[in-house]
Amino acid sequence: AQTVTQSQPEMSVQEAETVTLSCTYDTSESDYYLFWYKQPPSRQMILVIRQEAYKQQNATENRFSVNFQKAAKSFSLKISDSQLGDAAMYFCAYRALNAGNNRKLIWGLGTSLAVNP
Amino acid sequence: SAVISQKPSRDICQRGTSLTIQCQVDSQVTMMFWYRQQPGQSLTLIATANQGSEATYESGFVIDKFPISRPNLTFSTLTVSNMSPEDSSIYLCSVTSGNSYEQYFGPGTRLTVT
């Protein structure tokens, strides 16, 4: 069974600095998707960034980028120039490509990120 | 991305009663998912709702406790039946559309059972 592990329950970063959140996963599939979601205190879950496993190039969305290491089954999120609004719970999630009608996500336990002014 | 609304946004209910949560999407979507989330914790999938068929429930969740309706491609409801304090949680609706592999979420319903 697929699993997603986030080994850092809590992280903190100074405003304007860079922080990296870790995520590892376990799967026997070769094609899949990986996601990072952000959930601020308002609890609205927001998709931050996604990565297709067949793509070697790391995904980037503005200040957010990933370091995808397929062989190591690692999918870390880097937040550059951290802002106060980045403070949130961050979840890593996995979905198999050939899921058929089963498109459910496998979730990590989350990392709570605090941004210090 | 789809715009998703949920009603109610929060409620306080007495044990033994039932609450129906509504999820409305601004466009037709293929699949709708219902999650439960304890504050500060990860998400637990309750069931997947497909239009025109029975919902598929995850291990530990049963239809009698969490009946789901999906009457069309833009709307679904989740009922939390015969509630107990252990049902106090945030309930989230999410959707995928067509062949998209991305899931989008509603704002959630915070339920407190006293």
Side-chain angles (χ1 to χ4, degrees), chain B residues 66-83:
Chain B
F66 297 100
I68 288 171
S69 77
R70 177 87 194 270
N72 56 52
L73 293 175
T74 64
F75 186 79
S76 177
T77 66
L78 169 74
T79 299
V80 186
S81 303
N82 188 24
M83 287 184 285

Side-chain angles (χ1 to χ4, degrees), chain A residues 2-22:
Chain A
Q2 297 94 352
T3 59
V4 175
T5 302
Q6 294 179 249
S7 59
Q8 306 153 316
E10 297 179 347
M11 292 279 286
S12 65
V13 63
Q14 291 295 125
E15 197 174 4
E17 297 293 309
T18 296
V19 65
T20 299
L21 308 183
S22 300

Side-chain angles (χ1 to χ4, degrees), chain B:
Chain B
S1 63
V3 176
I4 306 163
S5 60
Q6 284 185 235
K7 290 182 181 179
S9 60
R10 60 176 61 222
D11 207 342
I12 301 173
C13 302
Q14 291 190 344
R15 70 170 65 211
T17 63
S18 298
L19 176 72
T20 295
I21 302 169
Q22 299 179 4
C23 178
Q24 179 74 55
V25 191
D26 69 339
S27 59
Q28 294 185 343
V29 294
T30 308
M31 304 184 77
M32 300 180 80
F33 304 85
W34 286 100
Y35 288 91
R36 185 168 72 182
Q37 184 183 29
Q38 298 290 343
Q41 297 190 18
S42 189
L43 285 74
T44 300
L45 182 64
I46 297 171
T48 302
N50 297 320
Q51 193 265 339
S53 63
E54 293 278 335
T56 302
Y57 289 83
E58 297 298 305
S59 176
F61 298 96
V62 295
I63 188 171
D64 290 346
K65 175 68 175 177
F66 297 100
I68 288 171
S69 77
R70 177 87 194 270
N72 56 52
L73 293 175
T74 64
F75 186 79
S76 177
T77 66
L78 169 74
T79 299
V80 186
S81 303
N82 188 24
M83 287 184 285
S84 66
E86 291 71 35
D87 295 319
S88 297
S89 191
I90 297 167
Y91 291 84
L92 294 161
C93 169
S94 76
V95 306
T96 60
S97 182
N99 292 321
S100 170
Y101 50 84
E102 298 172 356
Q103 274 192 30
Y104 297 96
F105 285 80
T109 296
R110 181 182 291 275
L111 170 63
T112 302
V113 184
T114 60

Side-chain angles (χ1 to χ4, degrees), chain A:
Chain A
Q2 297 94 352
T3 59
V4 175
T5 302
Q6 294 179 249
S7 59
Q8 306 153 316
E10 297 179 347
M11 292 279 286
S12 65
V13 63
Q14 291 295 125
E15 197 174 4
E17 297 293 309
T18 296
V19 65
T20 299
L21 308 183
S22 300
C23 174
T24 58
Y25 58 94
D26 188 26
T27 183
S28 58
E29 303 285 336
S30 59
D31 292 319
Y32 47 86
Y33 306 110
L34 295 163
F35 308 89
W36 279 99
Y37 282 87
K38 168 186 177 182
Q39 188 178 38
S42 67
R43 77 173 180 258
Q44 176 78 56
M45 191 74 76
I46 302 165
L47 177 62
V48 174
I49 200 166
R50 62 190 178 276
Q51 175 82 42
E52 296 90 337
Y54 63 86
K55 291 185 178 179
Q56 293 186 338
Q57 186 173 5
N58 289 325
T60 299
E61 290 286 343
N62 300 315
R63 297 183 295 107
F64 298 88
S65 61
V66 299
N67 183 5
F68 173 48
Q69 302 289 329
K70 191 173 183 179
K73 297 180 181 176
S74 172
F75 182 61
S76 60
L77 175 70
K78 185 173 80 171
I79 306 174
S80 304
D81 186 25
S82 296
Q83 301 175 0
L84 295 178
D86 294 333
M89 184 74 86
Y90 286 81
F91 292 98
C92 179
Y94 162 100
R95 206 211 93 177
L97 174 65
N98 296 317
N101 288 326
N102 183 2
R103 299 187 185 182
K104 67 180 182 181
L105 295 174
I106 309 299
W107 296 86
L109 295 181
T111 297
S112 178
L113 177 66
V115 180
N116 303 315

